[in-house]
Amino acid sequence: MGESSEARAKSLKMEVVSILVFGASAFLLLAILTYNTQDPSPFSTVRGAALNACGPVGAYLAALLIETLGLGAVLLPVALAFLGISIHRRDGGGAGIRSLAGMSVGTLALSVLIGLYSVEWHFGGGRLLMGG
């Protein structure tokens, strides 16, 4: 009648994984929203303290995502949140991975589309190319 200890352990594992994925999503979103061009990153020569709310790790991740995906980088945390929801609902790993793959393709397509119709965007203390 009750759950076996193996089923409870698997359920607990899935709960922990979903919380970690949600945490990663929130971290990435905060890092992207607090991006500053004066943060140290692989794309800048600045060597000071990071102004990003997520510290130097957030500054590096935000710079990497914004410089490669442009404004489309905001969709990555959204895709991770959907993956976390899928894991939490126990839809199975396949559904979550398919959802993440579809959103990744959508993010790349949006980055290209925005890059075609807009030249630059003022964000994080500087001008960014829209398409990455």
Side-chain angles (χ1 to χ4, degrees), residues 1 5 17-18 23-24 27 41 51 74 88 101 118 124 129-130:
M1 296 216 184
S5 62
V17 168
S18 70
F27 181 83
S41 73
L51 302 172
V74 176
H88 183 73
S118 182
L129 296 176
M130 293 300 286

Side-chain angles (χ1 to χ4, degrees), residues 63-80:
L64 180 68
L65 291 173
I66 289 174
E67 293 294 332
T68 56
L69 298 174
L71 186 58
V74 176
L75 293 179
L76 185 61
V78 174
L80 283 176

